[in-house]
């Protein structure tokens, strides 16, 4: 009785870009305009489809477009027909930390064999919030 857990990626919803321009004042005749660009964060998964009783571990990686001087903490949420904490290890409300100076952080989830045949199910992992590293949530984020 093989079942598949399908991890859906909706990358169009998770990338955001935030920038602003600083105008300086003072003399010197040179340009005093500086553009500051903050990190944007995307999520990727090591697998998109797996068999439930395979014992496979799935890595969810948060990648920042550039490093930050402080940690970026990405909070995850889950939806789909698979049950968080039953069909896969609990992910909803957990975080991935991208440490200061790095561009990636990873969370591993496991797929146990719950011995109940349910047919194919989906687990959709989304970004529910950001903190630190000047990253900001820009509406619902999801993969």
């Amino acid at each position: 009785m093989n079942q598949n857990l399908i991890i859906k990626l909706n990358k169009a919803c998770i990338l955001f870009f935030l920038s602003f321009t600083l105008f300086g004042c003072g003399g010197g005749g040179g340009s005093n305009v500086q553009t500051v660009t903050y990190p944007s964060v995307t999520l990727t998964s090591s697998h998109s489809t797996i068999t439930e009783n395979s014992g496979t571990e799935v890595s969810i990686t948060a990648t920042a477009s550039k490093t930050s001087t402080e940690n970026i903490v990405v909070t995850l949420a889950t939806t789909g027909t698979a049950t968080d904490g039953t069909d896969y290890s609990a992910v909803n409300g957990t975080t991935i930390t991208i440490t200061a100076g790095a561009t990636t952080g990873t969370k591993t989830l496991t797929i146990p064999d719950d011995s109940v045949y349910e047919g194919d199910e989906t687990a959709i992992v989304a970004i529910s919030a950001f903190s630190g590293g000047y990253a900001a949530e820009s509406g619902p984020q999801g993969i």
Side-chain angles (χ1 to χ4, degrees):
M1 282 208 272
N2 285 347
Q3 299 171 237
N4 290 324
L5 177 64
I6 301 164
I7 300 172
K8 292 195 170 201
L9 303 176
N10 183 2
K11 293 181 183 179
C13 297
I14 65 157
L15 183 63
F16 69 95
F17 182 78
L18 179 63
S19 69
F20 66 91
T21 301
L22 299 174
F23 293 93
C25 58
S31 174
N32 291 321
V33 176
Q34 180 180 7
T35 300
V36 177
T37 304
Y38 294 122
S40 58
V41 177
T42 59
L43 290 179
T44 57
S45 171
S46 61
H47 295 81
S48 60
T49 303
I50 58 174
T51 302
E52 182 175 0
N53 61 356
S54 67
T56 302
E57 290 189 339
V58 177
S59 296
I60 304 295
T61 302
T63 303
S65 60
K66 61 189 282 185
T67 61
S68 175
T69 58
E70 60 183 59
N71 292 349
I72 299 171
V73 179
V74 179
T75 304
L76 303 175
T78 56
T79 59
T81 57
T83 304
D84 183 70
T86 301
D87 291 315
Y88 53 93
S89 56
V91 174
N92 195 42
T94 62
T95 60
I96 296 174
T97 300
I98 303 171
T99 57
T103 56
T104 62
T106 301
K107 175 153 198 77
T108 301
L109 60 105
T110 56
I111 314 301
D113 184 5
D114 64 11
S115 68
V116 175
Y117 182 77
E118 301 159 306
D120 290 353
E121 299 174 290
T122 59
I124 301 167
V125 179
I127 298 172
S128 64
F130 294 95
S131 64
Y134 300 102
E137 184 177 7
S138 179
Q141 308 295 307
I143 61 168

